[in-house]
Structures are given as structure tokens and as C-alpha cells.
Amino acid sequence: MVEIKTNGELDAMREAGRIVARALAAAEQVAAVGVPLTALDEAAREVLRAAGAGSPFLNYRPHFAATPFPAVLCASVNDTVVHGIPGAYRLRDGDLVSIDCGATLDGGAGDAATSFVVGTPRQADLELVETGRAALAAGIAAAVPGARMGDIGHAIGTVGRAAGYGILADFGGHGIGRQMHEDPPVPNEGQPGRGFRLRHGLVLALEPMFTAGGADAYVMDADGWGLRTVDGSRATHSEHTVAITDDGPRVLTLL
Ligand code: MG
Ligand code: MG
């Protein structure tokens, strides 16, 4: 069931979203060559704790997972596209890192992700990350009342395909509200003018996931969480929680 939020609920979600933005910024700030991924999770945990926010990631166990997720943040490095567990791995020069974090506060949830390079970047990685951000921006621009879900997917997918990237199969964005994952699903490709009609008060997490090698398929890590590219190529993930409003798209997960 798709829930339409009141303006008061949107304001509550904005507070949760601001905490997510702070947690991501704190995690990115500690990311450096030689730093273990656990330190990124700890930085995000501290932000949630200080804000009195809950984590929708910690102990999350969707249908595809064999074990509950053990952290408040996903850290996906290089060929891991999404859902990486932030473990003991120490970051190396040139690593491409995607971090994804959520928060719940006063009945509202927020969900956002960003990608960046640690140390000396490869030009191809910078272009991949930039294209993911551009696709997210295009999806946000399409998130207006009267448009259709297919317009968002079309906007996101067109940017990724034009660059020759793959678009991770089976995973995409989602509705969000009290829970992190709500209806409706938000595919990263779509037909313009088709699908669910967007209206004021609908809140969606938009999240392009692109693979540099061009394949849409993935392989799952032995831990049952991390999703890797089939060819070892690198990947990018960017996400914002966005409210559709009569005044235009309202991004709830900005600082
Ligand atoms: Mg997310
Ligand atoms: Mg999400």
C-alpha cells in the first residue's frame, strides 16, 4: 500500500534525513587510506546515537538475506555495488567506496547513499561517480506531481545507458515513510508516461546503481549481503530520499 504523507510527516522525515546526511558526511570524513571500514560504521553510529535516532539497517533482514545486517551503514568497495558489510578491510589508495545509511526519528525514516574515491582517483572512477550523481539529479527532477513512475526510471536509466554502464538488476529505489522500505518500488529504468502517478506527499528513495563494465547481473558475496559485479568492474551508488510536492521535488537527505 502506498502512503501519502502529510506536510507534518514530511517535516519529521526531513529531520531523519538530515541525520542521515550527517552520518554519511561523518563516515566519508574518516575514510582514508589504511582506515578499516568498521571506522566508517562507528562514525555513522555516533551521529545516530548523538541525535537519538534509530538505525533501520542494523539487524535488518530482508527475504534475500541469510543473516541480519550487522551495521548501521553499508560500505561497498570497488566491484561491490551495494550492501557491503563494513568489516575489517582497510581502505587502499584509489578505492572507490559507496556508503549507504538510514535513520529513523519521531516516526520518520531517511535513506541516502554516496560514492567517493579514497586517495588518488582513477579518471574512469570519477566519471562513473559523476554519472551516478547526474542520474540521481535527473531522477529527482522528474519527481513532480502528475508525472509517472516510468518518467523517473527513464530519466535515471537514460543517463546510465548513455555512458555505457550497466544498471544493477533486481534492485532499485522504493517508497519510504515510517519504514525505510515501503511501496511503491522505483525501478532505475522505465517507460516515460507509464506507471504509478506521482502526487504531493509521496516520498521516494531514488538510488541509481551503475556498473562500469556494462553488465546488469551481479554475484552475491559468501556473507549473503554484498553484491558484486560479474566482471570485477567498479560500481557507483547514489541515493536521496525525495518528497514529491506541489512546490517541486524536496530532497529530505541534504545536510
Ligand atoms: Mg539506502
Ligand atoms: Mg534505499
Side-chain angles (χ1 to χ4, degrees), residues 57 100-102 111-113 174 180-181 205 207 237 239:
F57 283 37
D100 186 352
C101 189
D111 184 12
H174 48 90
M180 176 171 64
H181 288 141
E207 46 183 317
H237 179 210
E239 178 179 24

Side-chain angles (χ1 to χ4, degrees), residues 1-3 5 174-176 181-185 202-204:
M1 195 188 93
V2 175
E3 280 190 23
K5 281 75 179 176
H174 48 90
I176 178 169
H181 288 141
E182 296 186 353
D183 283 335
L202 179 66
V203 186
L204 304 173

